[in-house]
Amino acid sequence: RENCIHLCNPHLEKMKEDILYHFALGTGTHDFPALFGDVKFVCVGGSPSRMKAFIAYIAEELGLGSPAGDYPNICAGTDRYAMYKVGPVLSVSHGMGIPSISIMLHELIKLLYHAKCSNITIIRIGTSGGIGLDPGSVVITRQSVDATFKPQFEQVVLGKTLIRSTNLDEQLAKELMQCSKEINQFNTVIGNTMCTLDFYEGQGRLDGAICLYSEEEKLQYLKEAYDSGVRNIEMESSVFAAMCNLSGVRAAVVCVTLLNRLEGDQISSSHDVLVEYQQRPQKLVGYFIKKSLGKV
């Protein structure tokens, strides 16, 4: 069954041209079905360099290229986001935080709609702070929760607060977990992910420029988060889940933990260790894509 992108915006039908400003793409200047019509998997992550590394990795895994191959940035006309494509896989950077990924997703969802894509799976791959997990553990998000542990995203529209669901595709999470078991290279769990509005106070850190709470209060909060099912903290998953839900897109969040926040706030692992950690979500999602395409 063809599962097409659903746009929750009737105004778009009246537009002669749709300019995706932050991608430097537009329906009047680009043939979206020709460029993107074969896309089935979209992987998004914060860093442009990481998403370029991912497309090189997946190209080699799918036998469509090599790490030394050149993968041009489709969004080279802007410095906001980077986009790479190989075969049925699109790799897009989203920057840091809810506002940045929200802008990217609006234009990405429209791009997939204009390209007449169907049966799309979107996966956010990234890094996070763990709670009660060893560094290097991978968390597949069951649902994104806010800083009060509620599975919701609040969006203010025309002065009114809308509450949107942040549940993610349960079957997809199970499929990714099974893939991790088959790879058997690192610890992976399914758990809730807390999405915050900033990196320091919002995540209970003691090392920001401003901190008006005690270490005891911080630890109590993080333990409450753990008891509620939270296993990691990042800054994009809530709006990602909400927007994918509204658009009818199968979605998942796969993040590696760089530290255990119950033991500290600063990331102290060596550069080489952190690079290896950051490759773990890529390996898991790469294996999932290969398996989905019957190449395992």
Side-chain angles (χ1 to χ4, degrees):
R1 187 174 66 87
E2 292 291 289
N3 183 18
C4 298
I5 302 292
H6 173 64
L7 283 188
C8 300
N9 184 357
H11 304 290
L12 292 174
E13 296 178 7
K14 305 171 187 175
M15 295 168 52
K16 293 181 180 179
E17 179 183 3
D18 190 4
I19 298 171
L20 308 186
Y21 173 72
H22 302 90
F23 284 167
L25 299 171
T27 55
T29 53
H30 298 79
D31 186 341
F32 281 45
L35 288 170
F36 306 107
D38 62 338
V39 169
K40 296 297 179 186
F41 304 94
V42 183
C43 294
V44 303
S47 160
S49 61
R50 198 181 303 156
M51 300 322 292
K52 185 172 185 178
F54 176 75
I55 209 67
Y57 173 77
I58 201 66
E60 185 180 21
E61 289 292 296
L62 297 180
L64 299 173
S66 66
D70 183 33
Y71 303 96
N73 177 11
I74 298 170
C75 298
T78 175
D79 60 0
R80 293 295 181 187
Y81 304 105
M83 180 185 296
Y84 306 95
K85 181 182 182 298
V86 63
V89 183
L90 197 63
S91 177
V92 192
S93 70
H94 59 59
M96 190 182 296
I98 287 172
S100 185
I101 192 174
S102 170
I103 294 166
M104 188 281 291
L105 285 171
H106 273 282
E107 298 188 14
L108 173 64
I109 290 165
K110 291 197 297 176
L111 179 154
L112 297 170
Y113 175 82
H114 292 313
K116 298 179 170 54
C117 293
S118 61
N119 301 324
I120 293 289
T121 298
I122 303 181
I123 303 177
R124 167 169 141 66
I125 56 177
T127 59
S128 63
I131 302 183
L133 296 174
D134 290 334
S137 298
V138 171
V139 179
I140 302 166
T141 304
R142 175 182 291 109
Q143 57 183 192
S144 176
V145 301
D146 64 16
T148 64
F149 319 139
K150 295 177 183 176
Q152 63 184 36
F153 173 65
E154 293 189 6
Q155 176 76 55
V156 178
V157 179
L158 302 182
K160 298 177 181 178
T161 300
L162 304 179
I163 304 296
R164 292 173 172 167
S165 168
T166 53
N167 289 333
L168 286 151
D169 191 288
E170 185 177 354
Q171 181 58 35
L172 178 55
K174 290 179 180 178
E175 291 173 21
L176 286 162
M177 189 66 191
Q178 179 58 35
C179 286
S180 182
K181 291 177 181 177
E182 292 173 17
I183 299 173
N184 195 28
Q185 293 183 14
F186 39 79
N187 179 47
T188 303
V189 301
I190 294 177
N192 292 346
T193 295
M194 183 163 70
C195 183
T196 64
L197 299 180
D198 80 313
F199 185 79
Y200 286 97
E201 287 183 285
Q203 297 188 11
R205 277 185 161 81
L206 302 174
D207 59 343
I210 299 168
C211 179
L212 303 176
Y213 43 83
S214 67
E215 182 174 7
E216 290 74 18
E217 289 171 320
K218 165 210 157 175
L219 288 173
Q220 180 181 355
Y221 175 68
L222 293 180
K223 288 174 182 176
E224 288 174 0
Y226 183 89
D227 291 342
S228 76
V230 172
R231 293 297 176 266
N232 65 333
I233 312 173
E234 46 86 92
M235 296 185 290
E236 293 88 18
S237 60
S238 62
V239 72
F240 173 81
M243 292 182 69
C244 288
N245 282 337
L246 286 169
S247 304
V249 180
R250 193 173 186 238
V253 177
V254 179
C255 288
V256 68
T257 61
L258 301 184
L259 75 168
N260 180 359
R261 288 294 317 288
L262 294 175
E263 297 178 355
D265 294 332
Q266 298 208 327
I267 299 167
S268 57
S269 298
S270 70
H271 173 74
D272 290 345
V273 168
L274 292 176
V275 168
E276 195 278 321
Y277 285 170
Q278 291 172 22
Q279 291 171 347
R280 294 181 179 186
Q282 295 186 17
K283 289 179 180 178
L284 175 51
V285 173
Y287 183 87
F288 166 79
I289 292 172
K290 283 177 64 179
K291 187 176 179 182
S292 299
L293 295 172
K295 295 195 173 188
V296 172

